[in-house]
Structure formats: structure tokens, C-alpha cells
Amino acid sequence: MEKIMNVSLAFESIDEGTIIVGTNKELDHLTYPEKKIIGDKILIKNADQVETVLSVSSVQISTSIAEKKNIGICIGNSVSSDLVKVGSCIYSFEG
């Protein structure tokens, strides 16, 4: 299990479902598409240590004007964005 990022934003898209966005300076080398690094499933660990495993629909990686990577992970309609709290940790999940 490898840490992917801390959640800085979670929102819902009409077409895509829930999208989780965050950064991790150790992954600033990523280029699109790098879903293999993220994996097909992620584990979300909230501040209260509640863990949830979700399937990844798609991954988008963009570069900010400060040359930092923004990682967007779409988890579809499997969970509401209200359940993904800012500050939660996202890990790759193999299992």
C-alpha cells in the first residue's frame, strides 16, 4: 500500500460521478496516463481512521502553474463526495 495523496477537494460531476483531487510532491514526476501507479482500487483513510476501499474509474493528472501535479481520481457513483473529507489520505490498494 503506497500513499498517493491527501484529499484537497472532492466534488461530483454529472457525467463522471465523484472526483477526488489532491497533491503529493513525491509524485510530481507523474505524467498522464499513470493509472498503473494509482491502481484499480484505492483505500481512503479518514481522520477518524475509518477506511473505505473504492474502485477507480479514471485518473487525470494536470500540472499547475507552479509546476506541481494535481491528481484527480474518479471513483464514479460508488460514493458521494460528502463522504470523502478534505485531509483524508488516499492509498493505492491491492487486494
Side-chain angles (χ1 to χ4, degrees), residues 17-30:
T18 301
I19 299 172
I20 304 167
V21 180
T23 59
N24 179 345
K25 67 180 180 176
E26 294 177 14
L27 298 180
D28 278 347
H29 67 281
L30 291 180

Side-chain angles (χ1 to χ4, degrees), residues 67-86:
E67 295 298 314
K68 302 294 181 193
K69 299 294 182 180
N70 294 310
I71 303 166
I73 301 173
C74 178
I75 54 174
N77 295 312
S78 59
V79 69
S80 167
S81 63
D82 294 340
L83 298 177
V84 182
K85 304 295 183 201
V86 171

